[in-house]
Amino acid sequence: MHMSQPRINVTRRLTFAAGHILAKPEWDDARNREVFGACAGDHGHNYELEVSVSGSVDEDTGMVINLREVDRIVKDLVIHDVDHRHLNRDVPWLEGCLPTTENVALAIWRRLEGRLPSARLERVRLKETENNAVEVERG
Ligand code: NI
């Protein structure tokens, strides 16, 4: 009988603070306010980022991946570029991107995919406020 192996996800949480403004230049103020609410003005958020990867458990270490390694890679590729920066103008890989939580989470996914050795990226969760979060998952 074939017993399927459960998939094991491991998750590292990191935080950053960044500014953004959600406004489309081709829309007037009223329309931007209507669609984006308080985010239509310049302001910042304390973001929480969760990065989940899967893989098989290494027999020697008992781990899928060393979370210190995940932490280092995510800091190098993402946090270093966005922490205490303005997402509309300071981040090369967000250029031309309206920095909604969705768009930023997707950009982070694309930045990390394939960059974590011996583990597969499964999920990027970006929490913008206590009440709002976006998840990007492997399709
Ligand atoms: Ni905002």
Side-chain angles (χ1 to χ4, degrees), residues 20 22 39 43 45 128:
H20 80 161
L22 297 183
C39 282
H43 65 287
H45 294 283
E128 191 185 68

Side-chain angles (χ1 to χ4, degrees), residues 96-110:
C97 164
L98 183 68
T100 60
T101 318
E102 289 88 335
N103 283 338
V104 175
L106 190 56
I108 291 171
W109 171 279
R110 290 186 172 135

Side-chain angles (χ1 to χ4, degrees), residues 27-43:
W27 292 356
D28 63 19
D29 283 352
R31 178 92 196 273
N32 277 312
R33 283 274 163 200
E34 184 191 317
V35 173
F36 298 119
C39 282
D42 218 339
H43 65 287

